[in-house]
Amino acid sequence: MKLISWNVNGLRACLGKGFVESMTALTPDFICIQETKMQEGQAEVDLPDYLEFFSSAEKKGYSGTAIFAKEAPQSVQINFGKHTDEGRAVILEYEKFFLVNVYVPNAQDQLKRIDYRMEWEDDFRAFVLELDEKKPVIICGDMNVAKEEIDLKNPKTNRGNAGFSDQERDKMRKLQAAGFVDTFRYLYPDLEGVYSWWSYRFNARKNNAGWRIDYFLVSERIADKIVDAKIHTDIFGSDHCPVELEIEL
């Protein structure tokens, strides 16, 4: 089973930059996208082999998540708990697992939104732990944090900034300690210089001055089912690139 996760930074824009062609070439069973910046039905996505599940923000042109799935789920949940207005989660249930596609709130400059981010993190961890009691969970998405120094090009100058604050890194550690494995680091614990997001400024992508903030996490008890984890740095169309998980369930 192959899954792709990609923050497309506006699906309508990404459709004009090869989104369908890139996804078709990868032949995934699931395509999980974040930051759609649209309401369902505002664009036609030419993926006829997939079912579509959208979670859109109340504020137009903001946030949003979606999953394109080849197989019909047993159940669908849009968002969780009280976090319902920004379109940040789509949850599909299958016989052997839950798939949770998530776009974690950005703490913003000067950590203006850090209090909400901390509340969101605690609620999200509690939510996925409830799911994990029923069956294994696959979590994917833009989680807006580089957990360790190896996960970004310039850790010293970014210490304390949004995405690399002690608070955000601690919440990611707590999520993993609660029973979820970072699939990329599970396979490649020491691999440096591989990132999934680059600023549009200062030729960051050309210079590979990036961050690894897009993840696949899985319940610990299915970690031995991981086949491969990839970061497709050669695919353009957004300030993020797609990340991939191959797993046998």
Side-chain angles (χ1 to χ4, degrees), residues 146-153 155 164 169 184-185 188-195 210-212:
K147 185 170 75 75
E148 305 298 343
E149 291 192 356
I150 194 175
D151 294 316
L152 71 167
K153 179 68 175 288
F164 199 58
R169 295 168 69 193
F184 185 78
R185 285 289 171 230
Y188 309 107
D190 303 314
L191 184 60
E192 300 181 10
V194 182
Y195 309 117
W211 301 50
R212 190 180 72 92

Side-chain angles (χ1 to χ4, degrees), residues 49-96:
D49 295 334
Y50 294 83
L51 302 167
E52 300 180 3
F53 305 93
F54 275 82
S55 175
S56 301
E58 292 177 6
K59 178 182 176 182
K60 292 186 177 178
Y62 177 72
S63 189
T65 48
I67 298 178
F68 297 83
K70 283 189 173 180
E71 181 183 338
Q74 293 178 343
S75 69
V76 180
Q77 180 175 339
I78 304 301
N79 302 312
F80 66 95
K82 62 187 175 186
H83 306 280
T84 60
D85 59 340
E86 295 187 353
R88 293 190 176 274
V90 179
I91 302 99
L92 304 184
E93 179 184 4
Y94 289 89
E95 180 183 357
K96 295 182 179 179

Side-chain angles (χ1 to χ4, degrees), residues 120-171:
W120 197 97
E121 291 272 8
D122 289 340
D123 291 346
F124 180 71
R125 187 173 64 255
F127 172 69
V128 293
L129 283 172
E130 283 185 17
L131 295 181
D132 191 50
E133 290 179 359
K134 302 171 186 174
K135 61 183 75 174
V137 182
I138 299 172
I139 303 167
C140 70
D142 176 359
M143 305 194 77
N144 261 319
V145 62
K147 185 170 75 75
E148 305 298 343
E149 291 192 356
I150 194 175
D151 294 316
L152 71 167
K153 179 68 175 288
N154 298 306
K156 289 182 173 58
T157 55
N158 281 294
R159 178 77 183 270
N161 289 342
F164 199 58
S165 68
D166 292 347
Q167 301 98 306
E168 293 163 297
R169 295 168 69 193
D170 181 60
K171 293 298 185 186

